[in-house]
Amino acid sequence: MVARPDFPKTLKEFRECFSQEDACFEYLASSRWPEGFVYPRCGGQACWIKTRRFEHKCQSCGQQISATAGTLMHGSHFPLREWFWAAYLVATHTPGMSATQLQRQMGCSYKTAWYLLHRLRRAMVNETRSRLSGRVETDEVIIGGPVRGKRGRGVTAAQHSTLVFGAVEVIAYTNKHGGYMEKAGRLRLAVAPRADAGSIRRFLEKNVEPGTEIGTDQWKGCSTTALAGYRHEHHHPETHALHIHRAFGNLKTWLNGTHHGVDPKYLQNYLDEFVFRFNRRKTPMAAFQTLLGLATIKIPVNYEKMTSGASTG
């Protein structure tokens, strides 16, 4: 096994480092199996054999496995170096990439660019990630147009708009002059059917550690039942949740500016990408490594299933 190279710091270094398929497969294999590959069926040691798929071969039973097996890239006819290039652009380009932009950058078809983007978005959620903790602001926002025949924050009509829950950690720190300051920490976003107590409760249980201090406005859905097990702090609607509202504003700007709106059935995928980018905004170069690492534990989804309207995030 060749040692994994240091991650390139510039675009020029990236293209030089991963210009050949061999280098991409070596990097992928060393990322997946840093201690060397052991075949899962028999526990035998594997040797590296160079085939069209760059496989490992078990020295005991002779079984073979590709470095892309079980990843989002498995079975793809697209060159691995182009997968790397797409992941690099998505992870490090600050405003993100639309399918049209990726098509232009990579010289591929729009369908291929769209498919690559959505497969990469599926890799941006780590189901084992830790929940938010400390002090958290939470609120909801409507993404899309007005809801006909509805008022307030009840059930939404998906064909017109989508309700989204959000929660963000608030981190306090002292500036160089000794003054108290706050900044946003990790973010979570999720599509929700309605803003009632049950929906709020399910969102919090999935995304926020019990015992956390949660700041909300005075919406009736944020009831004692919804926030049981959390320390609840009410805020005045005009001053509530500066950090989550700023995140919502940036989300809307990104969706409208980069993507010119999003089909509601794919919105969760875009929310996952926004969260991934937001939580790694200080380390964009390292985001590529994280994305590639998460991609190795996802089940591939074909184009037909991805466009069927079923959730893929």
Side-chain angles (χ1 to χ4, degrees), residues 7 11 14-15 78 81-108 113 116-117 120 124 254 258 273 276-277 284-285 287-289 291:
F7 188 72
L11 179 61
F14 182 89
R15 291 300 275 177
F78 216 55
R81 64 179 181 275
E82 300 302 330
W83 274 104
F84 273 48
W85 179 231
Y88 178 87
L89 290 173
V90 169
T92 62
H93 189 57
T94 301
M97 299 287 292
S98 67
T100 300
Q101 290 171 315
L102 189 62
Q103 175 191 14
R104 188 181 305 118
Q105 289 284 343
M106 299 185 65
C108 60
L116 284 171
L117 277 174
L120 288 169
M124 292 180 178
W254 177 68
T258 299
E273 179 183 352
F276 179 87
R277 197 181 308 286
M285 299 297 285
F288 169 84
Q289 293 171 300
L291 178 57

Side-chain angles (χ1 to χ4, degrees), residues 144-160:
V147 182
R148 295 177 182 175
K150 297 291 181 181
R151 294 182 179 180
R153 297 182 284 190
V155 179
T156 65
Q159 65 269 32
H160 298 295

Side-chain angles (χ1 to χ4, degrees), residues 19 65 89 106 119 127 133 166 180 232 240 259 310:
S19 62
I65 187 169
L89 290 173
M106 299 185 65
R119 290 181 84 170
E127 286 81 2
S133 60
Y180 175 84
H232 189 197
H240 161 63
H259 301 287

Side-chain angles (χ1 to χ4, degrees), residues 2 8 41 50 61 70 75 90 93 100 131 133 161 173 183 225 268 283 292 302 309:
V2 177
R41 184 177 301 174
K50 187 173 181 179
C61 66
V90 169
H93 189 57
T100 300
R131 290 179 286 184
S133 60
S161 63
Y173 67 98
K183 63 181 179 181
T225 301
Q268 186 61 57
T283 55
L292 191 64
N302 62 33

Side-chain angles (χ1 to χ4, degrees), residues 139-143 153-158 161-166 189-196 198-203 264 267-268 271:
D139 209 340
E140 71 284 332
V141 66
I142 297 293
I143 301 295
R153 297 182 284 190
V155 179
T156 65
S161 63
T162 306
L163 180 68
V164 171
F165 286 158
L189 297 170
V191 170
R194 56 186 61 84
D196 59 1
S199 298
I200 293 172
R201 180 69 187 176
R202 286 188 290 274
F203 173 76
L267 179 58
Q268 186 61 57
L271 297 181

Side-chain angles (χ1 to χ4, degrees), residues 204-233:
L204 293 177
E205 286 179 339
K206 182 177 181 179
N207 294 286
V208 184
E209 285 286 349
T212 298
E213 177 186 322
I214 297 181
T216 72
D217 60 11
Q218 299 177 25
W219 171 243
K220 62 183 179 181
C222 299
S223 63
T224 302
T225 301
L227 288 116
Y230 298 97
R231 293 179 289 133
H232 189 197
E233 180 181 354

